[in-house]
Amino acid sequence: HEVVGELDDGRRVVIEPVLACAARAIVPPCDACSAGEARRCRHLTGGHLAPGLQSGYCADTGGGWSLSMVAHDSQLRAVPDAMSDTSAVMVEPAACAVHGVLSAPAGDELTAVVIGAGTLGLCAVAALARYRPDVTTTIAVAKHPGQQSLARTLGADVVAAPGELRRAVRRQTGSWILDSGQLTGGADLAVDCVGSAGSLADALAVTAPGGTIVMIGIPGEVSVDLTPLWQREIRLTGAYTYGPEPGAEGRHSFDLAFDLVEGAQLERLVSATYPLDRFADAIEHAASAGRRGGVKVAFDLRGEKRR
């Protein structure tokens, strides 16, 4: 679903993959779609398409791991002539990160933690640096040296290994670490770009009372002690895809993402590309990208012909 491609008429586009009312030919659209909030569409199983949240997860549309796919006009975003394909393929994940960091309440001289330094985590670091001037300190959690270097380059003030997060936040915020591992204070904002039980537990441990945790990473079935959520009145919110951003004067997160990709040179996160017939190698590389010094792995189908 992170796709840049060429239409039959030659135009280059990226797609907003959510298959909402417009793509499903549902009239009238639901209240969410009418308000421009397609990510909250009530009809993701209806209309003339098979059920599916997004392109790439719907039997009727296909996806980017193929030589061709279908998309509705409402999903298309024109790619500027000056933007490379490598930059354009970063727009959709960057839009998710932009929406995530802008969904947290604004404040004054905030400290933010970004957990995870894959594609979404590094995009979130860049988005905080560009679109959240109220965040004056960003602490990024990155495991591998290449990720750590990119996090610093993209705007992280402090970079910590996963096992050092609590101590890094303690030093930055003047908090104490309790025997349980919980900080007495902590960061105002934690952005979880992993979505595991461990990452959510870390976020709960380092978020200050009254702070916010934003889940950008996709959580599966996780078992976590939510006592801090209750006792410290922490706000836990999900961030799914994109839409008009009240925190950016209503600009759409996709428009903001185009600017972010260019301004932060996020094309550097594309570490390797593969032809489709090497899909097994590509998947193996993606699964071990951080350890191998990479971030994002993509298919490059520009030289292949449709069958």
Side-chain angles (χ1 to χ4, degrees):
H1 66 283
E2 301 172 3
V3 177
V4 55
E6 188 175 286
L7 301 178
D8 287 338
D9 62 10
R11 289 178 292 156
R12 272 193 318 150
V13 297
V14 294
I15 66 168
E16 295 183 34
V18 177
L19 294 169
C21 286
R24 294 180 172 279
I26 294 175
V27 180
C30 68
D31 291 344
C33 287
S34 295
E37 304 280 358
R39 68 185 183 278
R40 297 177 178 172
C41 178
R42 274 62 161 172
H43 296 147
L44 296 175
T45 61
H48 70 304
L49 294 177
L53 288 172
Q54 301 179 0
S55 301
Y57 301 89
C58 173
D60 290 338
T61 65
W65 292 14
S66 59
L67 297 180
S68 63
M69 59 180 293
V70 296
H72 189 266
D73 285 346
S74 64
Q75 298 177 273
L76 305 180
R77 291 269 180 163
V79 176
D81 291 341
M83 177 176 271
S84 69
D85 289 337
T86 306
S87 294
V89 81
M90 289 299 304
V91 170
E92 195 278 340
C96 292
V98 166
H99 176 60
V101 305
L102 288 176
S103 66
D108 184 38
E109 296 187 355
L110 304 182
T111 296
V113 170
V114 178
I115 300 174
T119 300
L120 277 178
L122 292 170
C123 285
V125 170
L128 284 168
R130 186 176 183 91
Y131 294 124
R132 290 298 302 261
D134 56 333
V135 173
T136 54
T137 302
T138 296
I139 302 170
V141 180
K143 183 177 182 180
H144 302 287
Q147 296 172 332
Q148 293 169 354
S149 177
L150 283 167
R152 292 188 184 94
T153 301
L154 291 171
D157 303 287
V158 177
V159 178
E164 298 296 318
L165 173 60
R166 287 165 172 78
R167 281 186 283 273
V169 177
R170 177 191 65 77
R171 287 192 295 268
Q172 192 64 44
T173 62
S175 304
W176 293 93
I177 301 178
L178 303 176
D179 290 342
S180 64
Q182 180 74 55
L183 268 63
T184 56
D188 306 287
L189 168 63
V191 183
D192 184 351
C193 298
V194 179
S196 69
S199 63
L200 181 54
D202 284 343
L204 287 165
V206 302
T207 301
T212 299
I213 299 172
V214 178
M215 298 287 297
I216 299 181
I218 303 172
E221 294 185 12
V222 296
S223 177
V224 179
D225 180 4
L226 294 179
T227 302
L229 189 74
W230 161 76
Q231 187 266 322
R232 296 160 72 83
E233 294 191 343
I234 293 171
R235 178 177 181 262
L236 175 63
T237 183
Y240 172 61
T241 62
Y242 16 72
E245 302 292 353
E249 299 179 342
R251 289 187 68 195
H252 196 282
S253 32
F254 242 78
D255 296 325
L256 297 167
F258 273 106
D259 293 344
L260 178 65
V261 169
E262 294 273 69
Q265 298 178 313
L266 293 183
E267 71 278 0
R268 72 180 99 174
L269 301 187
V270 181
S271 306
T273 60
Y274 286 82
L276 195 58
D277 61 5
R278 291 186 61 196
F279 66 90
D281 295 331
I283 293 169
E284 191 279 329
H285 191 170
S288 59
R291 174 170 53 80
R292 295 170 61 174
V295 181
K296 183 170 179 60
V297 176
F299 287 117
D300 184 351
L301 311 182
R302 289 173 294 187
E304 301 194 37
K305 296 181 179 180
R306 294 184 190 178
R307 295 179 177 87

